[in-house]
Amino acid sequence: MVATLAVVVDGTAEEGLREGAKRVLAHVRPHWQHSNLTFKTYTAGVTNILVGVWCGQEREQVLVRVYGNNTHLFIDRQQEIETMQAVHAAGCGPQVFAAFTNGLCYAFTPGVPLTIQDVTRQPVWHANARQMATFHKIQSGEQQKPMLFTKIRQFLALLPPAFTDPKKQKRLEESGCTRDALVRLTEELETHLVPLGCPVVFCHNDLVMRNIIWDKNSASVSFIDFEYSATNYQPFDIANHFNEYSGMDEMDYSLYPSEEAQRAWLRTYLAQYRDVTEEEVQVDEVELWLAWVTKFTLASHLFWGMWGFLQACHSSIDFDYVKYGIARLAEYHRKKQEVFALAVGTVVPSPPVPHGTVGSTT
């Protein structure tokens, strides 16, 4: 059971963030002297505010995360805590120390966030593929439906008919990303993807570069930030990660991995997932997964495009969410015809070797 502290941390200013973090640490690390604390504010996130605090060794730091404005509307924070506890118990995530009124306090994961340059290096992508396979072997305690289209429809329900900011609304209309258009895209994509019958597992669902931590000392990766982790279509997690090779601030989709690179990644992933050697993974199975992953790239663009528009309504973080959402939907439309026309094989995937248990993940 994670304690919930009656503490509100002001994430809008550096002073408020530090003072609030001290109040949280008074419960989590009562032996730390406030006069000896070192603070490090992390700026890569586009949803929450994050500060690391330590007393002595930086690797012993504790993270204090302040939730983004109104993110409770589309993220179940209690479920996030339960998921983080279960993932930690399975050896795949950090320990949660405490919750507070508008955030969480949890353990630091040693290493550095990946960049789009790092992720193409063989030791990194190899470790990443293996870690994702291990994560996907965490067993859900009960049979559950994939979250993908449920969450997309939640986003749709929360989107206003029009932005209150007329400039934002004009950009949306000029790009063709109206709410009615998004509803049609959702129905069309669901009709296309669901009949594929792809396997459903426990997924991270947000493996952007900053959520993957590379530890060069152990040549391993760890995943962080489990706000969207839930049961989902297995190829979605891989497709979503491949889309992130293109970056986020200034997306360059020419950086999407080549088919050759994807095949190598998938072979490593499937070997770890099935607990066999890479040589034992069949070519037909790799080709099947390549097709599935390609199909689900569209789902990733639709999901995060809508997320961008929703954040544009609520977030106080200095990021052009409208531009981001429009760019994701533009790539959806650019690739749609090619992806819809792609034929998919009929190889039956082999089952994994289980790894840990998650109780409830929706």
Side-chain angles (χ1 to χ4, degrees):
M1 185 71 179
V2 174
T4 301
L5 311 175
V7 174
V8 176
V9 178
D10 178 10
T12 62
E14 192 73 21
E15 183 179 355
L17 184 61
R18 294 188 177 195
E19 289 304 314
K22 288 179 182 179
R23 293 176 62 196
V24 173
L25 289 170
H27 298 270
V28 174
R29 293 290 185 269
H31 58 286
W32 283 5
Q33 296 295 317
H34 284 188
S35 59
N36 295 328
L37 295 180
T38 301
F39 296 85
K40 179 179 181 179
T41 302
Y42 294 91
T43 58
V46 291
T47 301
N48 309 296
I49 305 296
L50 185 67
V51 62
V53 190
W54 63 92
C55 185
Q57 298 295 318
E58 185 174 356
R59 287 178 68 91
E60 297 177 0
Q61 70 180 285
V62 170
L63 299 178
V64 177
R65 169 155 56 96
V66 182
Y67 299 145
N69 190 39
N70 288 332
T71 52
H72 67 281
L73 295 173
F74 49 93
I75 298 173
D76 185 334
R77 293 303 184 181
Q78 182 56 43
Q79 184 58 60
E80 180 191 7
I81 293 171
E82 294 172 7
T83 295
M84 289 184 70
Q85 288 179 291
V87 169
H88 172 68
C92 292
Q95 181 180 358
V96 182
F97 298 131
F100 51 96
T101 304
N102 63 328
L104 278 180
C105 180
Y106 52 94
F108 172 70
T109 301
V112 294
L114 287 188
T115 67
I116 58 176
Q117 291 78 30
D118 295 331
V119 77
T120 59
R121 294 195 294 114
Q122 198 276 343
V124 177
W125 69 252
H126 196 268
N128 196 28
R130 291 173 60 86
Q131 180 65 11
M132 196 185 303
T134 299
F135 195 91
H136 287 168
K137 290 194 285 186
I138 298 175
Q139 298 295 293
S140 175
E142 56 188 83
Q143 190 68 30
Q144 296 174 45
K145 294 180 179 179
M147 63 80 102
L148 179 60
F149 290 103
T150 300
K151 181 63 75 172
I152 286 176
R153 286 194 167 85
Q154 182 187 20
F155 288 172
L156 280 170
L158 291 169
L159 281 175
F163 281 121
T164 54
D165 183 336
K167 292 182 179 179
K168 289 182 179 179
Q169 183 60 27
K170 182 180 180 181
R171 291 168 68 191
L172 220 61
E173 291 174 355
E174 289 178 346
S175 66
C177 296
T178 63
R179 192 180 183 282
D180 287 344
L182 295 175
V183 170
R184 290 193 297 271
L185 288 180
T186 300
E187 294 172 347
E188 174 185 59
L189 189 60
E190 185 174 25
T191 301
H192 183 71
L193 293 181
V194 172
L196 295 176
C198 293
V200 173
V201 298
F202 182 69
C203 292
H204 185 283
N205 294 315
D206 188 16
L207 287 172
V208 65
M209 298 304 156
R210 66 178 177 276
N211 287 343
I212 305 171
I213 306 300
W214 168 250
D215 186 348
K216 66 178 181 180
N217 295 322
S218 60
S220 64
V221 301
S222 302
F223 299 156
I224 60 171
D225 287 2
F226 305 96
E227 293 174 306
Y228 296 96
S229 296
T231 304
N232 205 359
Y233 297 106
Q234 193 170 355
F236 175 88
D237 230 7
I238 302 171
N240 188 65
H241 174 61
F242 285 171
N243 275 339
E244 297 299 342
Y245 277 50
S246 305
M248 187 166 186
D249 293 324
E250 295 294 334
M251 287 169 281
D252 179 0
Y253 286 108
S254 70
L255 299 177
Y256 187 88
S258 67
E259 288 192 357
E260 180 183 3
Q262 291 179 69
R263 288 187 178 98
W265 196 103
L266 287 167
R267 182 172 294 279
T268 298
Y269 168 87
L270 290 168
Q272 176 73 10
Y273 187 67
R274 291 172 46 202
D275 197 23
V276 299
T277 66
E278 292 192 18
E279 290 72 23
E280 292 176 276
V281 178
Q282 299 298 310
V283 171
D284 287 350
E285 188 172 8
V286 173
E287 293 305 308
L288 173 65
W289 278 88
L290 179 62
W292 278 347
V293 167
T294 301
K295 295 284 188 182
F296 274 88
T297 57
L298 295 183
S300 167
H301 289 311
L302 182 62
F303 185 95
W304 294 110
M306 287 197 198
W307 171 89
F309 299 145
L310 192 57
Q311 288 282 19
C313 297
H314 300 288
S315 181
S316 58
I317 293 176
D318 184 17
F319 183 80
D320 193 342
Y321 293 101
V322 173
K323 177 183 176 182
Y324 176 79
I326 290 173
R328 294 301 298 254
L329 269 297
E331 185 65 9
Y332 177 104
H333 287 295
R334 190 179 76 85
K335 299 293 292 185
K336 173 189 161 184
Q337 185 174 355
E338 175 188 339
V339 172
F340 270 46
L342 179 66
V344 177
T346 57
V347 177
V348 178
S350 301
V353 177
H355 178 80
T357 302
V358 173
S360 175
T361 59
T362 57

